[in-house]
Amino acid sequence: MDAPFLPLVEKPKGLVMKLVFYFTRRQFGKVLTPLAVHSARLPAAFGTFYGKVSQLDKKLVLNPETAMLIRQQVASTNVCTFCIDIARYFAIKAAFNTTKLDALNDYKTSTLFSDAERAALDYATELTRDKKVSPATFSRLATYYNEREICEIVWLVASEHIYNITNLGLNIHSDMLCDISKRKN
């Protein structure tokens, strides 16, 4: 696969980034490429922002599996292989059934997905692909989700774009984390 547009930072500056490198190396067996290419070049506050996104996801009332499917659909639509890979890694780690991840391309017809999940995935796909949503798509979503859940779905799509565009803009691809997680088990 093509190398990132910027070289990996091997020795980060600053105590915070050195600690981030240490702990990610400890957790994943390597420093994640987005950290070594992007975050290591920015003030620590940018990394704090990315961490805040993850913390905010823990405050969602939306079913965690649905949230994971939405993030994965956005990453797949945007073809962010790093994000697809890390989402699968965390799904495996959280003991989610990855059968739905494997069937995500066929969510419209697969019996694995509920009508509510299909409505959320249609909404996420349309918003990601077209940068807008038709009234019919929104109406279908609103049939299954309350106002807070709809806003959470919008949050998931928007915040996943941050990760996707960062990686795509710097030519960052999969870190093969799923292979790493299989070796650790």
Side-chain angles (χ1 to χ4, degrees), residues 1 28 30-36 72 75-76 78-90 160 163-164 166-168 171-178 180:
M1 206 161 280
F28 297 105
K30 65 184 294 181
V31 174
L32 300 178
T33 304
L35 290 173
Q72 189 75 339
S76 296
N78 285 332
V79 194
C80 179
T81 57
F82 178 85
C83 296
I84 294 167
D85 181 39
I86 199 162
R88 179 173 288 278
Y89 172 88
F90 282 116
E160 185 63 27
Y163 295 127
N164 297 172
T166 299
N167 293 328
L168 294 170
N171 203 39
I172 295 170
H173 302 288
S174 172
D175 269 346
M176 304 304 291
L177 297 174
C178 290
I180 293 169

Side-chain angles (χ1 to χ4, degrees), residues 9 13 18 62 115 118 123 125 142 150 176:
V9 172
K13 297 176 183 172
K18 287 177 183 177
L62 199 63
D115 288 340
R118 281 190 198 91
Y123 181 88
T125 302
I150 290 169
M176 304 304 291

Side-chain angles (χ1 to χ4, degrees), residues 4 7 24 33 49-51 55 59 81 83 88-89 91 95 98 107 109 141 147 161-162 173 179 181-184:
T24 57
T33 304
F49 173 78
Y50 280 100
Q55 290 173 352
K59 297 185 181 297
T81 57
C83 296
R88 179 173 288 278
Y89 172 88
T98 58
Y107 78 87
T109 57
L141 181 73
E147 291 177 356
H161 271 281
I162 294 169
H173 302 288
D179 288 346
S181 70
K182 289 175 187 170
R183 284 189 298 234
K184 285 185 175 181

Side-chain angles (χ1 to χ4, degrees), residues 16-29:
V16 171
M17 194 51 66
K18 287 177 183 177
L19 287 170
V20 169
F21 270 47
Y22 171 80
F23 285 112
T24 57
R25 191 176 289 118
R26 192 166 171 209
Q27 180 179 359
F28 297 105

Side-chain angles (χ1 to χ4, degrees), residues 137-163:
T137 301
F138 183 84
S139 179
R140 191 160 157 256
L141 181 73
T143 301
Y144 299 102
Y145 298 95
N146 65 38
E147 291 177 356
R148 173 165 177 168
E149 291 168 326
I150 290 169
C151 289
E152 289 180 358
I153 291 167
V154 171
W155 160 256
L156 289 165
V157 173
S159 58
E160 185 63 27
H161 271 281
I162 294 169
Y163 295 127

Side-chain angles (χ1 to χ4, degrees), residues 51-115:
K52 189 70 167 170
V53 170
S54 179
Q55 290 173 352
L56 289 171
D57 277 2
K58 294 175 186 169
K59 297 185 181 297
L60 301 177
V61 296
L62 199 63
N63 176 302
E65 184 179 57
T66 302
M68 182 260 313
L69 289 170
I70 291 166
R71 282 203 180 278
Q72 189 75 339
Q73 182 65 9
V74 172
S76 296
T77 302
N78 285 332
V79 194
C80 179
T81 57
F82 178 85
C83 296
I84 294 167
D85 181 39
I86 199 162
R88 179 173 288 278
Y89 172 88
F90 282 116
I92 292 167
K93 188 175 177 190
F96 284 135
N97 182 345
T98 58
T99 307
K100 280 187 178 178
L101 285 179
D102 296 335
L104 198 53
N105 286 337
D106 301 316
Y107 78 87
K108 288 179 183 273
T109 57
S110 172
T111 57
L112 294 172
F113 297 88
S114 69
D115 288 340

